[in-house]
Amino acid sequence: MLNHLEGHIKTAIKTPLFKRYDSNQSRQILQKISFLDPRYRSHYIESPQKDLIISLIKQEMDDIGHQAEVDEHYKNTNTSGLAAFLGNLSSKHVETNTIQDLNQIELEKYLSLPSVGLNCNPLQ
């Protein structure tokens, strides 16, 4: 009796959600959001889906990092005169890690953090 009631409740909740978020793109966004919330990180996502979501998040991080590099390069090329000269002098640092490496490190740090309880505020 109790199992039947539990199944009925689950179906009543899942059916409208699957109708509303029927597209693959919507589901991927919702899965990424749930995965990035430390309260739900990987508890409700099956392992094959989890690997896909991690790769999607990494790709998105890399895309954002690449765009930031392009923006920074564009900003640095639009200077002239003394600002351009001083900018060239100060930007002689050597980067040892690429944006992709830094993103991978950040993602691994996030995945290594302990889970947060469902009743906790993840922003505190």
Side-chain angles (χ1 to χ4, degrees):
M1 175 74 178
L2 191 57
N3 287 339
H4 174 70
L5 182 60
E6 181 181 335
H8 183 68
I9 291 172
K10 284 182 180 179
T11 303
I13 293 171
K14 286 165 77 175
T15 302
L17 290 175
F18 280 123
K19 285 180 184 175
R20 186 174 299 155
Y21 304 107
D22 193 29
S23 76
N24 191 32
Q25 184 179 12
S26 296
R27 283 199 185 140
Q28 285 181 352
I29 290 170
L30 291 172
Q31 288 174 329
K32 286 191 288 188
I33 290 168
S34 295
F35 185 80
L36 292 173
D37 187 328
R39 295 171 293 178
Y40 309 110
R41 186 173 17 223
S42 59
H43 302 295
Y44 305 104
I45 302 171
E46 293 97 24
S47 189
Q49 281 296 101
K50 185 173 151 183
D51 295 337
L52 173 67
I53 292 167
I54 289 172
S55 68
L56 290 171
I57 290 170
K58 174 120 177 34
Q59 180 62 45
E60 202 166 326
M61 290 170 70
D62 292 345
D63 292 345
I64 291 169
H66 175 69
Q67 185 60 45
E69 284 179 333
V70 169
D71 292 346
E72 184 67 25
H73 176 72
Y74 180 74
K75 183 178 86 174
N76 289 339
T77 58
N78 283 341
T79 57
S80 61
L82 186 58
F85 176 72
L86 293 175
N88 287 338
L89 290 178
S90 65
S91 64
K92 297 285 183 193
H93 69 283
V94 176
E95 275 195 43
T96 56
N97 292 326
T98 65
I99 292 291
Q100 289 81 10
D101 292 339
L102 295 173
N103 288 340
Q104 183 65 36
I105 291 168
E106 189 66 30
L107 192 57
E108 287 171 3
K109 283 182 185 177
Y110 174 73
L111 293 173
S112 69
L113 292 173
S115 295
V116 176
L118 292 175
N119 57 351
C120 294
N121 182 353
L123 300 177
Q124 291 181 346

mmCIF file of all heavy atoms in Angstrom, residues 1 3 14 17 31 33-34 41 43 51 61 87 95 99 113 124:
data_model
loop_
_atom_site.group_PDB
_atom_site.id
_atom_site.type_symbol
_atom_site.label_atom_id
_atom_site.label_comp_id
_atom_site.label_asym_id
_atom_site.label_seq_id
_atom_site.Cartn_x
_atom_site.Cartn_y
_atom_site.Cartn_z
ATOM 1 N N MET A 1 0.817 -1.197 0.000
ATOM 2 C CA MET A 1 0.000 0.000 0.000
ATOM 3 C C MET A 1 0.860 1.260 0.000
ATOM 4 O O MET A 1 0.621 2.172 -0.781
ATOM 5 C CB MET A 1 -0.937 -0.052 1.225
ATOM 6 C CG MET A 1 -1.759 1.167 1.432
ATOM 7 S SD MET A 1 -3.088 1.227 0.229
ATOM 8 C CE MET A 1 -3.903 2.679 0.725
ATOM 9 N N ASN A 3 4.063 1.530 -0.834
ATOM 10 C CA ASN A 3 4.856 1.610 -2.057
ATOM 11 C C ASN A 3 4.015 2.132 -3.218
ATOM 12 O O ASN A 3 4.511 2.878 -4.053
ATOM 13 C CB ASN A 3 5.450 0.248 -2.414
ATOM 14 C CG ASN A 3 6.586 -0.134 -1.489
ATOM 15 O OD1 ASN A 3 7.184 0.720 -0.863
ATOM 16 N ND2 ASN A 3 6.857 -1.420 -1.398
ATOM 17 N N LYS A 14 6.654 13.959 -11.216
ATOM 18 C CA LYS A 14 7.522 13.873 -12.393
ATOM 19 C C LYS A 14 6.807 14.191 -13.697
ATOM 20 O O LYS A 14 7.393 14.824 -14.577
ATOM 21 C CB LYS A 14 8.130 12.467 -12.484
ATOM 22 C CG LYS A 14 9.218 12.221 -11.477
ATOM 23 C CD LYS A 14 9.574 10.771 -11.315
ATOM 24 C CE LYS A 14 10.397 10.179 -12.376
ATOM 25 N NZ LYS A 14 10.813 8.798 -12.124
ATOM 26 N N LEU A 17 6.658 17.887 -14.650
ATOM 27 C CA LEU A 17 8.014 18.393 -14.869
ATOM 28 C C LEU A 17 8.569 17.913 -16.201
ATOM 29 O O LEU A 17 9.207 18.670 -16.926
ATOM 30 C CB LEU A 17 8.938 17.961 -13.725
ATOM 31 C CG LEU A 17 8.680 18.636 -12.377
ATOM 32 C CD1 LEU A 17 9.571 18.040 -11.298
ATOM 33 C CD2 LEU A 17 8.897 20.129 -12.476
ATOM 34 N N GLN A 31 20.066 19.945 -14.987
ATOM 35 C CA GLN A 31 21.025 19.035 -14.370
ATOM 36 C C GLN A 31 22.310 19.763 -13.979
ATOM 37 O O GLN A 31 22.871 19.496 -12.918
ATOM 38 C CB GLN A 31 21.332 17.871 -15.318
ATOM 39 C CG GLN A 31 20.188 16.897 -15.433
ATOM 40 C CD GLN A 31 20.432 15.829 -16.474
ATOM 41 O OE1 GLN A 31 21.106 16.046 -17.465
ATOM 42 N NE2 GLN A 31 19.847 14.664 -16.241
ATOM 43 N N ILE A 33 22.517 22.951 -13.187
ATOM 44 C CA ILE A 33 22.169 23.789 -12.035
ATOM 45 C C ILE A 33 22.145 22.947 -10.766
ATOM 46 O O ILE A 33 22.695 23.333 -9.738
ATOM 47 C CB ILE A 33 20.815 24.494 -12.266
ATOM 48 C CG1 ILE A 33 20.951 25.552 -13.355
ATOM 49 C CG2 ILE A 33 20.296 25.103 -10.972
ATOM 50 C CD1 ILE A 33 19.632 26.100 -13.843
ATOM 51 N N SER A 34 21.509 21.782 -10.827
ATOM 52 C CA SER A 34 21.447 20.906 -9.656
ATOM 53 C C SER A 34 22.834 20.439 -9.256
ATOM 54 O O SER A 34 23.165 20.375 -8.076
ATOM 55 C CB SER A 34 20.575 19.685 -9.949
ATOM 56 O OG SER A 34 19.254 20.072 -10.165
ATOM 57 N N ARG A 41 24.630 18.174 -5.348
ATOM 58 C CA ARG A 41 25.744 17.965 -6.272
ATOM 59 C C ARG A 41 25.672 16.672 -7.066
ATOM 60 O O ARG A 41 25.562 16.690 -8.271
ATOM 61 C CB ARG A 41 27.053 18.052 -5.535
ATOM 62 C CG ARG A 41 28.213 17.980 -6.463
ATOM 63 C CD ARG A 41 29.543 18.235 -5.833
ATOM 64 N NE ARG A 41 29.557 18.141 -4.423
ATOM 65 C CZ ARG A 41 30.184 18.991 -3.635
ATOM 66 N NH1 ARG A 41 30.846 19.982 -4.150
ATOM 67 N NH2 ARG A 41 30.165 18.850 -2.349
ATOM 68 N N HIS A 43 24.066 13.623 -5.738
ATOM 69 C CA HIS A 43 23.241 12.634 -5.064
ATOM 70 C C HIS A 43 22.074 12.133 -5.909
ATOM 71 O O HIS A 43 21.602 11.025 -5.712
ATOM 72 C CB HIS A 43 22.691 13.204 -3.748
ATOM 73 C CG HIS A 43 23.778 13.647 -2.818
ATOM 74 N ND1 HIS A 43 24.679 12.780 -2.248
ATOM 75 C CD2 HIS A 43 24.137 14.873 -2.389
ATOM 76 C CE1 HIS A 43 25.527 13.448 -1.494
ATOM 77 N NE2 HIS A 43 25.217 14.731 -1.564
ATOM 78 N N ASP A 51 28.976 12.175 -15.541
ATOM 79 C CA ASP A 51 30.165 12.410 -16.367
ATOM 80 C C ASP A 51 29.864 13.376 -17.507
ATOM 81 O O ASP A 51 30.675 14.251 -17.828
ATOM 82 C CB ASP A 51 30.699 11.087 -16.932
ATOM 83 C CG ASP A 51 31.210 10.164 -15.836
ATOM 84 O OD1 ASP A 51 31.560 10.655 -14.748
ATOM 85 O OD2 ASP A 51 31.258 8.938 -16.083
ATOM 86 N N MET A 61 33.016 26.349 -18.911
ATOM 87 C CA MET A 61 34.064 27.115 -18.220
ATOM 88 C C MET A 61 35.181 27.488 -19.194
ATOM 89 O O MET A 61 35.672 28.619 -19.186
ATOM 90 C CB MET A 61 34.640 26.285 -17.068
ATOM 91 C CG MET A 61 33.704 26.087 -15.902
ATOM 92 S SD MET A 61 34.328 24.882 -14.703
ATOM 93 C CE MET A 61 35.707 25.755 -13.991
ATOM 94 N N GLY A 87 51.965 49.260 -20.627
ATOM 95 C CA GLY A 87 51.254 47.987 -20.634
ATOM 96 C C GLY A 87 52.133 46.861 -21.124
ATOM 97 O O GLY A 87 52.114 45.763 -20.590
ATOM 98 N N GLU A 95 52.824 32.786 -18.003
ATOM 99 C CA GLU A 95 51.753 31.939 -17.481
ATOM 100 C C GLU A 95 52.180 30.489 -17.579
ATOM 101 O O GLU A 95 52.614 30.027 -18.622
ATOM 102 C CB GLU A 95 50.461 32.144 -18.277
ATOM 103 C CG GLU A 95 49.656 33.295 -17.780
ATOM 104 C CD GLU A 95 48.243 33.264 -18.318
ATOM 105 O OE1 GLU A 95 47.640 32.188 -18.353
ATOM 106 O OE2 GLU A 95 47.781 34.336 -18.693
ATOM 107 N N ILE A 99 44.096 28.386 -19.332
ATOM 108 C CA ILE A 99 42.745 28.543 -18.774
ATOM 109 C C ILE A 99 42.105 27.172 -18.549
ATOM 110 O O ILE A 99 41.465 26.936 -17.525
ATOM 111 C CB ILE A 99 41.868 29.405 -19.720
ATOM 112 C CG1 ILE A 99 42.360 30.843 -19.741
ATOM 113 C CG2 ILE A 99 40.403 29.334 -19.341
ATOM 114 C CD1 ILE A 99 42.144 31.598 -18.457
ATOM 115 N N LEU A 113 35.042 18.946 -2.429
ATOM 116 C CA LEU A 113 34.427 19.545 -1.244
ATOM 117 C C LEU A 113 33.385 18.613 -0.655
ATOM 118 O O LEU A 113 32.720 17.867 -1.378
ATOM 119 C CB LEU A 113 33.766 20.879 -1.611
ATOM 120 C CG LEU A 113 34.699 22.012 -2.014
ATOM 121 C CD1 LEU A 113 33.891 23.205 -2.515
ATOM 122 C CD2 LEU A 113 35.579 22.411 -0.853
ATOM 123 N N GLN A 124 26.490 30.270 2.803
ATOM 124 C CA GLN A 124 27.135 30.659 4.052
ATOM 125 C C GLN A 124 28.322 29.778 4.338
ATOM 126 O O GLN A 124 28.440 28.685 3.993
ATOM 127 C CB GLN A 124 26.154 30.560 5.226
ATOM 128 C CG GLN A 124 25.087 31.613 5.130
ATOM 129 C CD GLN A 124 24.118 31.551 6.300
ATOM 130 O OE1 GLN A 124 24.082 30.585 7.046
ATOM 131 N NE2 GLN A 124 23.330 32.595 6.460
#
